[in-house]
Amino acid sequence: MRKDAKARMQKGKIVSFVPTGEYYFKKGIKAYHRRDFLKAKKYLGRALQLEPGEPMIACQLAIVSTELGEFEHSNRLLHLILEDLDHEMTECHYFLANNYAHLGFFKDAYHHATLYLQMDPDGDFAEDAEELLELLSFESEELEDELYGQDDLIIKQEQARDLLESGYFPKAIELLKEVVEEYPEYWSAYNNLALAYFYLGQAEKAEDILNEVLERNPGNLHALCNKMVFAHYQGRIKYVKQMIDSLKKIQPLLSEQQFKLGTSFALVGEYELAYLWLKKLYKTGFDGDGPFYYWLSYSSYHVGYENFARAIWKRLLEMNPEKEGSEPWAEDQEQANGFEDISGSIFQKLESDYVEERLFALFLTSVSSKKDEIITSKRLFQNHKFTALEKEYISLIRSGKPSATADAQEIAELFYQNYQPIGTIEAGLYLMWFSVFVEAAKAGVALKNKRAWAGAVEYVWHKLRSEKVSQQEVANRYEISSATVGKYVKLVNEFLN
């Protein structure tokens, strides 16, 4: 103690007392043991203000918040500890599991309870965690009947997601419409339906669906993220900035929402924000799929963590080997992103349940840099979904043997002169053409005027995407008259309806 302070004490004067974080922590613990949780919260909150980096204080405050029923506040503190203060404080996983169970988020509860037991099988809360897992299993059995009734919903949602990823948007729309009609408050299906319409070019319809979701379910994070991404692709820079400013203030607790926020920021080029959320998920042991590791690698690379990005990309390739060649550091990234140069994507389409998508995959094969690899593969020979039409197409690709599919190939090649590499947006044009071709083949219609068919399909595709284009503009591109385009547009619409 300083000499002047001693002197003041000797004179009988009052000495000022500056309490520490430890002082308030002890008072908070005493209040907690008396079950005076409001006072405990007050003292522990003050202790954390004085020592914000002390994980024990934050953890005790989280426990008190749970006792007060403030589960979300408790979760925020527990995630703060694991992500920033002390990731080896394993008991936080048990407390998180308990909180999520109270909130009804059984999947998250199961994840953290399991993680706790894996990290500390003989820990102080091991028995409690095992009991919680048993309880969660019981809850799952109680909900089994309800969940069983939703099996159809889950199957349809997965099918729709596969269709979206493979670029077959009309079928995805058809399926998602069924889902939202049967489950009018299943917001995930609405958001995917908006995505399908947007990729097909019907931006207004997509925007209307998102607005409906936000009106009926205010603050829906997926809808807000989709609005930002849509605006980004439309070049609405000012609106995108507003959405970024708004979304970066959101602190979601659920891993699914954190994943959506992170990937959305990555899609609009906000890699620092994307890295923040995706790395947080990674540190908590998030069991992500291909897209999670894809965007984590991309965001890591763009913020300067190249070694980490490469390690994550290696993990991605173990799950999705077809992603090889589309690394964020690839020299010719634009070309690598085309479906035609990603053999995994082509094989996925070749195994589709829809003939038009299989035909599209064969066209991709014909222009692919990996054509020889695909055309001689066992997966192609062993594909039992091929009809006579696809078999003819394969013969055409291998030997140039003339067949009905040669006309379809030539028309698709006309598109390829202007629309390559083939990404998600361009895929819509080709899929539309092969849908028309399948119907024309059924009707026995000859495809003599190839430029007319190409011009008509492209015109209809632009119109469906709400893009301004005149029949004369398309006619000039294909060196035909606008009257011819108009005549064939009627035929195309007949086959599509």
Side-chain angles (χ1 to χ4, degrees), residues 77 311 329 412 459:
L77 289 166
W329 50 85
Y459 177 78

Side-chain angles (χ1 to χ4, degrees), residues 75-90 92-94 96-97 100 107-119 252-259 275-288 292-293 296 308 312 315:
N75 283 349
R76 273 194 289 272
L77 289 166
L78 294 167
H79 280 295
L80 172 72
I81 295 165
L82 289 169
E83 293 162 13
D84 297 326
L85 303 182
D86 185 358
H87 68 275
E88 292 183 357
M89 205 164 176
T90 55
C92 291
H93 286 294
Y94 169 70
L96 279 167
Y100 280 126
K107 185 178 178 182
D108 289 297
Y110 187 90
H111 168 72
H112 284 285
T114 304
L115 203 56
Y116 172 72
L117 288 171
Q118 287 174 350
M119 296 173 76
L253 292 172
L254 296 179
S255 54
E256 181 192 348
Q257 293 181 332
Q258 293 176 1
F259 172 60
Y275 177 77
L276 170 73
W277 284 111
L278 298 176
K279 184 66 185 290
K280 273 188 176 183
L281 281 172
Y282 179 76
K283 285 165 71 177
T284 58
F286 179 66
D287 187 20
F292 170 70
Y293 293 107
L296 176 57
F308 180 68
I312 293 299
R315 190 166 178 179

Side-chain angles (χ1 to χ4, degrees), residues 294 297-298 300-302 305-314 317 325-333:
Y294 180 92
S297 178
Y298 259 75
S300 303
Y301 179 77
H302 284 287
Y305 300 110
E306 185 172 345
N307 289 337
F308 180 68
R310 289 181 180 276
I312 293 299
W313 193 264
K314 187 177 178 182
L317 291 180
S326 56
E327 301 88 350
W329 50 85
E331 289 183 5
D332 190 6
Q333 185 178 322

Side-chain angles (χ1 to χ4, degrees), residues 203-443:
E204 264 185 52
K205 203 157 191 174
E207 197 77 23
D208 288 343
I209 291 169
L210 295 181
N211 290 336
E212 181 188 349
V213 171
L214 291 168
E215 188 178 330
R216 295 171 58 195
N217 185 231
N220 185 287
L221 183 64
H222 285 255
L224 291 170
C225 286
N226 285 340
K227 282 178 79 74
M228 176 181 70
V229 172
F230 290 177
H232 170 74
Y233 282 117
Q234 291 170 324
R236 293 154 56 200
I237 299 169
K238 189 176 179 181
Y239 183 78
V240 173
K241 188 179 183 306
Q242 289 173 356
M243 289 299 296
I244 291 169
D245 290 341
S246 176
L247 287 170
K248 70 182 180 183
K249 295 173 186 174
I250 295 175
Q251 299 291 317
L253 292 172
L254 296 179
S255 54
E256 181 192 348
Q257 293 181 332
Q258 293 176 1
F259 172 60
K260 178 67 177 179
L261 201 55
T263 53
S264 298
F265 281 136
L267 277 164
V268 301
E270 288 291 321
Y271 292 112
E272 286 188 11
L273 290 169
Y275 177 77
L276 170 73
W277 284 111
L278 298 176
K279 184 66 185 290
K280 273 188 176 183
L281 281 172
Y282 179 76
K283 285 165 71 177
T284 58
F286 179 66
D287 187 20
D289 54 8
F292 170 70
Y293 293 107
Y294 180 92
W295 289 115
L296 176 57
S297 178
Y298 259 75
S299 58
S300 303
Y301 179 77
H302 284 287
V303 296
Y305 300 110
E306 185 172 345
N307 289 337
F308 180 68
R310 289 181 180 276
I312 293 299
W313 193 264
K314 187 177 178 182
R315 190 166 178 179
L316 170 66
L317 291 180
E318 290 172 3
M319 302 169 68
N320 300 107
E322 70 274 9
K323 291 295 181 186
E324 188 171 359
S326 56
E327 301 88 350
W329 50 85
E331 289 183 5
D332 190 6
Q333 185 178 322
E334 185 180 33
Q335 184 176 349
N337 281 341
F339 286 141
E340 64 266 45
D341 287 315
I342 304 173
S343 57
S345 177
I346 294 175
F347 279 120
Q348 184 185 27
K349 291 173 175 59
L350 285 169
E351 290 159 9
S352 167
D353 290 331
Y354 303 102
V355 61
E356 49 267 56
E357 191 165 1
R358 298 196 296 268
L359 291 168
F360 172 43
L362 289 171
F363 171 73
L364 289 171
T365 301
S366 73
V367 295
S368 176
S369 59
K370 300 181 180 180
K371 174 182 169 181
D372 292 339
E373 168 200 329
I374 297 166
I375 213 70
T376 57
S377 70
K378 284 184 180 179
R379 286 178 73 176
L380 195 75
F381 283 109
Q382 294 170 356
N383 193 321
H384 300 298
K385 294 182 179 179
F386 289 154
T387 65
L389 211 53
E390 292 101 284
K391 289 173 182 176
E392 283 183 18
Y393 208 152
I394 292 169
S395 295
L396 174 71
I397 296 169
R398 282 186 181 142
S399 60
K401 183 180 177 182
S403 68
T405 56
D407 293 331
Q409 171 74 9
E410 285 182 38
I411 291 168
E413 285 173 353
L414 289 172
F415 296 139
Y416 200 64
Q417 292 174 14
N418 299 302
Y419 296 98
Q420 60 163 295
I422 303 173
T424 303
I425 299 298
E426 294 81 7
L429 171 62
Y430 293 87
L431 282 164
M432 181 182 287
W433 160 238
F434 284 107
S435 296
V436 170
F437 169 64
V438 169
E439 296 304 317
K442 286 179 186 175

